[in-house]
C-alpha cells in the first residue's frame, strides 16, 4: 500500500506561528533617531488599535460604547502606544549599536521564492525586515511567490527556464532531491557555513545535515523545527457525553464512539472522509502507528520503524496488515463511512467542521486547526483531541525529517555567500526572526513574556504563505493560546522519539520513473478500495493486485531501493 505523505505536510502550516521574544544586542545609550522612530511606532500602533476597534464593530457589537468606555479604550490605546514606542526606541538603540556591521559590504538584493498565495500585510512586513537586514548586512530581499494552485508545474519550470534568482523554498516533498541531482542548487559545505553562517554551522543538528546529504553532498539548509506526523484523533466531546462515555483512553473506546455515531446520529457519518486525501489515514492509525511499521519507497513493502538497518517486507505478508484489512471491511459493514466514499472529494476535517463527520484523523496540528474553527463557529460541540497512539504509550515516534522544510541556493546565483549570511541573520537574530515568522509586534502578534506570544489584532493579515523554510526551534515562541493538551501530547512524542535513519531515505528514481509511475497509478486505483473496506474478498484480491505491481517492474525497483538505502544508511551512521 502506498501511503500518501506529501499533502499532509502541505497542510500542517497554521499552527506554526508562536515564537520567542526580543531582538539584537542591548546598548547603554540611546540612538539619535530613537525618538522619531518611537513616535512613528506609537502612531502606527494607535492606528492598529483603531483598526481593531473597527473590526469589533464589524463583528456586530450589541451597543455603542458610552463616554466612559471610550475614555477607557483611549487610555488603553495610549498605554499600548506608549509601550510600543518604548519597545521601538529600544530597537532603534540596538540598530544604532549594530550600525556599521554592514560596512564594507556592497548592497545586494536577493530574489527569493516562497510557496503560497500571499497575505494582506506581506509587503509591509518585508519593508520593515528589509530595513533591518539592510542596516546589518546591506542586504534586502525581493520576494516572489509560487501559488499552491500551480506549485507542481511551476516549481520545476522556474529552474528549467534559466531564470535568475537566489534562493527558493525546498524540501523532501518540494523537489529537493530532483533539483539537487539535476544541478539546480549550489552545494553547501561546512567551510562555507563556518565562514558566512556561523550560527547555522554551530546550531543546526548534525542529524539535519546527514539527512540533507545526496551522494555525500548537501544542497539545502534544513529547518530545525521539531515536528511529528503521528495522528491526532478529533471527536465531539458533546456527543461523547451524550452517550455517557468517559474520555477516550484506547482505540476500543474510539471504536465505541464511532459505533454510537454510526447508529444514532442521523445525517452524520462516523468518518466522512474523501478517498483522494484521507484514504491512507486508516492504515496509518490501525496498522503503521499501532504496530510500529512504515511504508517504504517501494509500493507494497514496509519495514519496522525501530530497526536501524531495516529489512523491507512485502506488506501483504505481515499478519497485522491482514488484521487491518479485515477491520476495515468490518468498519465498512458497520456504516462508519459513506458507500460513496471513493467518490467523496470533501476532506475529513472539513466534514467534521461542517457537522457531517463525528470524527476526523490527521496530524495533531491539522486537527487543532479544525478544532479552532469549530470553537469559532460551534463552540457547543466541545471538540476534543487525543494522541492516536494512546493504545501504545511506549510506541516509537519518528520525528518528521528536518528536510520537511528548508531553503536552497540556486546554482545560477552569484550571491551564495550573501545568501548564507542573510539566512543566518533571519534564523538567529530574534528581531529578524520574529518579523519573518510572526510579522509586526503589536499588530500581527503580541509579546506575552519571555518565550511567549499572543495573537495580535491583525494576526490573520500575515503569514499565509510558506515561511516554513526558516523555522528554528530555539527561536520559536510558545503561543499562550495553544490547545489545552497539545504540550502534553508534544512532550510525549519527544519522550518516545527514536533516532533511526531509514524514514529519511530519499529514493533517486531517475532510472525507474516508468516503473514508479506505473505502480503509483495502480496504487491510486486499488489501495483506496482496501483502505475503505470495499473488497470483501480481500484475502485473494490483495495477491491479484500484488501480481500487477510485479508486472509493472517492482522487482527491479526493489533491488535499486535496497542498494541505495544501504549506501544511505552507511553514510548516515558514519
Amino acid at each position: 500500500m502506498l501511503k500518501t505523505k506529501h499533502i499532509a505536510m502541505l497542510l500542517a502550516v497554521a499552527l506554526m506561528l508562536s515564537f520567542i521574544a526580543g531582538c539584537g544586542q542591548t546598548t547603554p545609550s540611546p540612538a539619535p533617531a530613537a525618538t522619531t522612530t518611537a513616535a512613528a511606532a506609537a502612531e502606527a500602533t494607535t492606528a492598529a488599535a483603531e483598526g481593531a476597534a473597527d473590526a469589533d464593530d464589524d463583528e456586530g457589537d450589541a451597543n455603542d460604547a458610552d463616554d466612559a468606555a471610550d475614555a477607557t479604550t483611549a487610555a488603553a490605546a495610549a498605554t499600548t502606544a506608549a509601550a510600543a514606542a518604548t519597545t521601538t526606541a529600544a530597537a532603534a538603540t540596538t540598530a544604532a549599536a549594530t550600525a556599521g556591521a554592514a560596512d564594507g559590504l556592497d548592497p545586494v538584493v536577493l530574489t527569493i521564492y516562497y510557496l503560497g498565495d500571499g497575505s494582506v500585510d506581506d509587503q509591509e512586513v518585508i519593508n520593515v525586515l528589509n530595513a533591518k537586514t539592510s542596516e546589518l548586512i546591506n542586504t534586502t530581499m525581493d520576494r516572489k511567490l509560487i501559488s499552491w494552485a500551480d506549485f507542481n508545474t511551476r516549481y520545476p519550470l522556474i529552474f528549467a527556464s534559466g531564470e535568475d534568482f537566489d534562493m527558493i523554498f525546498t524540501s523532501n516533498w518540494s523537489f529537493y532531491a530532483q533539483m539537487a541531482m539535476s544541478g539546480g542548487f549550489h552545494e553547501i559545505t561546512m567551510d562555507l557555513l563556518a565562514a558566512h553562517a556561523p550560527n547555522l554551522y554551530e546550531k543546526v543538528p548534525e542529524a539535519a545535515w546527514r539527512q540533507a546529504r545526496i551522494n555525500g553532498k548537501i544542497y539545502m539548509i534544513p529547518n530545525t523545527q521539531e515536528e511529528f506526523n503521528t495522528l491526532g484523533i478529533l471527536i465531539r466531546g458533546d456527543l461523547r457525553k451524550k452517550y455517557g462515555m468517559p474520555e477516550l483512553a484506547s482505540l476500543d473506546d474510539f471504536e465505541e464512539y464511532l459505533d454510537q455515531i454510526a447508529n444514532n446520529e442521523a445525517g452524520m457519518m462516523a468518518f466522512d472522509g474523501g478517498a483522494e486525501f484521507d484514504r491512507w489515514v486508516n492504515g496509518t492509525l490501525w496498522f503503521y502507528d499501532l504496530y510500529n511499521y512504515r511504508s517504504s519507497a517501494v509500493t507494497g513493502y514496509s519495514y519496522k520503524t525501530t530497526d536501524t538497518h531495516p529489512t523491507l517486507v512485502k506488506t501483504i505478508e505481515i499478519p497485522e496488515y491482514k488484521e487491518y484489512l479485515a477491520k476495515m471491511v468490518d468498519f465498512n459493514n458497520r456504516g462508519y463511512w459513506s458507500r460513496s466514499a471513493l467518490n467523496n472529494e470533501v476532506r475529513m476535517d472539513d466534514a467534521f467542521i461542517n457537522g457531517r463527520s463525528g470524527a476526523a484523523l490527521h496530524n495533531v496540528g491539522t486537527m487543532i486547526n479544525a478544532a479552532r474553527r469549530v470553537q469559532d463557529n460551534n463552540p457547543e460541540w466541545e471538540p476534543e483531541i487525543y494522541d492516536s497512539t494512546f493504545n501504545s504509550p511506549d510506541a516509537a515516534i519518528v520525528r518528521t525529517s528536518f528536510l520537511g522544510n528548508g531553503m536552497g541556493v540556486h546554482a545560477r546565483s552569484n550571491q551564495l555567500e550573501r545568501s548564507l549570511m542573510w539566512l543566518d541573520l533571519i534564523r538567529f537574530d530574534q528581531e529578524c526572526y520574529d518579523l519573518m515568522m510572526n510579522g509586526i509586534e503589536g499588530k500581527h502578534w503580541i509579546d506575552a513574556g519571555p518565550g511567549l506570544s499572543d495573537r495580535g489584532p491583525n494576526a490573520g493579515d500575515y503569514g499565509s504563505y510558506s515561511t516554513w523554510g526558516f523555522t528554528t526551534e530555539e527561536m520559536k515562541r510558545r503561543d499562550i493560546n495553544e490547545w489545552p493538551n497539545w504540550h502534553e501530547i508534544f512532550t510525549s512524542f519527544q519522550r518516545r522519539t527514536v533516532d533511526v535513519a531509514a524514514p529519511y531515505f530519499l529514493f533517486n528514481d531517475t532510472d525507474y520513473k516508468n516503473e514508479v509511475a506505473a505502480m503509483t497509478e495502480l496504487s491510486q486505483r486499488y489501495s483506496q478500495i482496501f483502505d475503505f473496506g470495499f473488497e470483501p474478498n480481500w484475502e485473494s484480491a490483495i495477491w491479484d493486485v500484488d501480481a500487477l505491481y510485479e508486472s509493472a517492474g517492482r522487482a527491479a525497483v526493489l533491488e535499486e531501493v535496497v542498494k541505495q538505502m544501504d549506501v544511505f544508511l552507511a553514510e548516515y551512521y558514519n
Side-chain angles (χ1 to χ4, degrees):
M1 181 182 74
L2 184 63
K3 178 180 173 185
T4 355
K5 300 177 182 175
H6 300 123
I7 302 179
M9 285 190 173
L10 284 169
L11 297 174
V13 58
L15 263 263
M16 296 173 6
L17 299 175
S18 32
F19 308 91
I20 307 174
C23 64
Q25 305 162 348
T26 304
T27 55
S29 57
T35 303
T36 303
T37 310
E43 187 176 318
T45 306
T46 301
E50 292 170 355
D54 289 343
D56 285 342
D57 288 341
D58 291 341
E59 291 171 3
D61 290 341
N63 302 299
D64 291 334
D66 57 21
D67 291 342
D70 284 340
T72 301
T73 301
T79 301
T80 301
T86 302
T87 301
T88 309
T93 301
T94 299
T98 54
D103 289 352
L105 292 175
D106 293 332
V108 167
V109 178
L110 299 175
T111 301
I112 306 174
Y113 270 103
Y114 293 23
L115 307 185
D117 301 296
S119 300
V120 175
D121 290 341
D122 285 359
Q123 195 56 52
E124 178 184 359
V125 175
I126 289 170
N127 290 344
V128 177
L129 182 60
N130 275 345
K132 182 68 178 175
T133 58
S134 177
E135 169 191 307
L136 295 177
I137 58 170
N138 217 359
T139 306
T140 58
M141 72 162 158
D142 174 21
R143 185 211 59 180
K144 294 187 176 183
L145 293 175
I146 302 174
S147 171
W148 293 123
D150 58 2
F151 159 71
N152 283 313
T153 54
R154 189 170 175 226
Y155 191 107
L157 285 176
I158 290 171
F159 286 82
S161 69
E163 177 181 344
D164 288 326
F165 64 92
D166 297 292
M167 279 187 285
I168 190 168
F169 176 91
T170 190
S171 69
N172 54 8
W173 52 266
S174 180
F175 299 98
Y176 172 55
Q178 297 93 317
M179 295 307 158
M181 289 184 288
S182 63
F185 292 128
H186 270 296
E187 180 187 356
I188 306 298
T189 67
M190 292 299 108
D191 287 343
L192 277 169
L193 292 170
H196 304 288
N199 289 297
L200 289 169
Y201 176 75
E202 294 175 6
K203 297 177 182 180
V204 171
E206 175 61 26
W209 298 124
R210 290 201 304 268
Q211 290 172 25
R213 292 176 189 160
I214 294 180
N215 296 328
K217 296 182 178 181
I218 297 167
Y219 297 95
M220 73 177 284
I221 299 90
N223 89 134
T224 58
Q225 179 169 237
E226 285 196 270
E227 290 185 290
F228 306 91
N229 278 337
T230 302
L231 295 180
I233 295 173
L234 175 61
I235 70 166
R236 283 180 50 176
D238 59 309
L239 295 180
R240 173 183 62 76
K241 295 174 184 177
K242 176 180 176 180
Y243 297 110
M245 294 184 59
E247 291 188 0
L248 305 188
S250 68
L251 286 179
D252 288 341
D253 291 346
F254 184 36
E255 286 186 34
E256 181 184 345
Y257 171 84
L258 296 175
D259 267 342
Q260 295 290 357
I261 301 299
N263 294 329
N264 300 302
E265 292 296 321
M268 180 184 292
M269 307 303 300
F271 281 146
D272 192 32
E276 288 306 310
F277 189 79
D278 297 310
R279 67 173 179 81
W280 58 271
V281 297
N282 290 353
T284 301
L285 176 54
W286 279 286
F287 173 58
Y288 288 109
D289 283 350
L290 184 59
Y291 298 111
N292 279 332
Y293 277 99
R294 294 180 70 88
S295 59
S296 76
V298 185
T299 305
Y301 277 77
S302 300
Y303 62 91
K304 272 288 188 181
T305 302
T306 50
D307 290 347
T308 54
H309 289 77
T311 299
L312 302 191
V313 180
K314 187 173 288 189
T315 307
I316 61 177
E317 295 178 347
I318 300 172
E320 293 89 347
Y321 182 69
K322 295 177 182 179
E323 293 175 12
Y324 157 71
L325 293 179
K327 183 179 289 289
M328 292 305 104
V329 172
D330 179 42
F331 283 3
N332 183 33
N333 292 337
R334 288 152 73 180
Y336 281 10
W337 43 76
S338 167
R339 302 302 300 175
S340 60
L342 298 182
N343 298 315
N344 183 8
E345 297 182 357
V346 178
R347 283 175 24 206
M348 198 184 301
D349 52 342
D350 287 334
F352 182 90
I353 293 165
N354 295 332
R356 291 170 44 188
S357 187
L361 292 174
H362 215 284
N363 65 66
V364 179
T366 300
M367 293 297 86
I368 290 175
N369 289 344
R372 293 285 190 205
R373 290 168 64 188
V374 168
Q375 284 185 322
D376 290 342
N377 300 316
N378 299 97
E380 70 278 8
W381 288 1
E382 301 180 27
E384 296 175 348
I385 296 172
Y386 297 88
D387 169 9
S388 66
T389 62
F390 47 21
N391 243 50
S392 308
D394 295 320
I397 303 293
V398 176
R399 182 186 291 108
T400 301
S401 171
F402 288 113
L403 306 191
N405 305 288
M407 299 297 294
V409 181
H410 189 206
R412 291 173 56 92
S413 171
N414 60 2
Q415 296 295 340
L416 173 59
E417 293 83 3
R418 191 68 65 90
S419 294
L420 294 176
M421 289 176 65
W422 185 88
L423 279 172
D424 202 65
L425 186 64
I426 294 301
R427 290 187 52 174
F428 292 97
D429 177 277
Q430 193 67 60
E431 183 178 359
C432 291
Y433 186 83
D434 281 333
L435 280 165
M436 173 63 78
M437 304 304 293
N438 285 346
I440 297 171
E441 201 279 326
K443 182 174 185 179
H444 304 114
W445 66 281
I446 296 171
D447 190 334
L452 301 173
S453 69
D454 195 359
R455 286 174 60 85
N458 298 85
D461 292 339
Y462 178 75
S464 68
Y465 59 87
S466 171
T467 56
W468 308 330
F470 309 110
T471 308
T472 306
E473 190 67 35
E474 67 185 84
M475 307 298 287
K476 290 168 57 178
R477 295 177 178 272
R478 184 174 171 184
D479 187 352
I480 63 172
N481 300 305
E482 70 182 8
W483 194 256
N485 65 333
W486 162 237
H487 191 64
E488 175 187 345
I489 293 174
F490 183 75
T491 53
S492 172
F493 288 169
Q494 287 180 312
R495 175 180 59 81
R496 293 181 283 147
T497 297
V498 294
D499 183 16
V500 289
Y504 311 125
F505 167 68
L506 298 176
F507 175 47
N508 177 5
D509 65 356
T510 301
D511 297 328
Y512 298 88
K513 290 190 179 297
N514 292 336
E515 292 86 349
V516 170
M519 287 189 291
T520 299
E521 191 276 330
L522 288 169
S523 177
Q524 291 171 342
R525 188 190 312 171
Y526 293 110
S527 291
Q528 57 195 5
I529 296 174
F530 296 113
D531 289 340
F532 277 100
F534 284 116
E535 178 49 77
N537 300 315
W538 59 268
E539 290 179 279
S540 59
I542 56 176
W543 290 102
D544 294 337
V545 174
D546 189 71
L548 295 176
Y549 288 137
E550 291 299 319
S551 298
R554 184 173 62 180
V557 175
L558 176 63
E559 181 180 358
E560 181 64 20
V561 165
V562 170
K563 184 190 305 182
Q564 290 185 25
M565 181 177 281
D566 285 344
V567 173
F568 170 80
L569 293 175
E571 187 177 79
Y572 187 92
Y573 291 121
N574 183 5

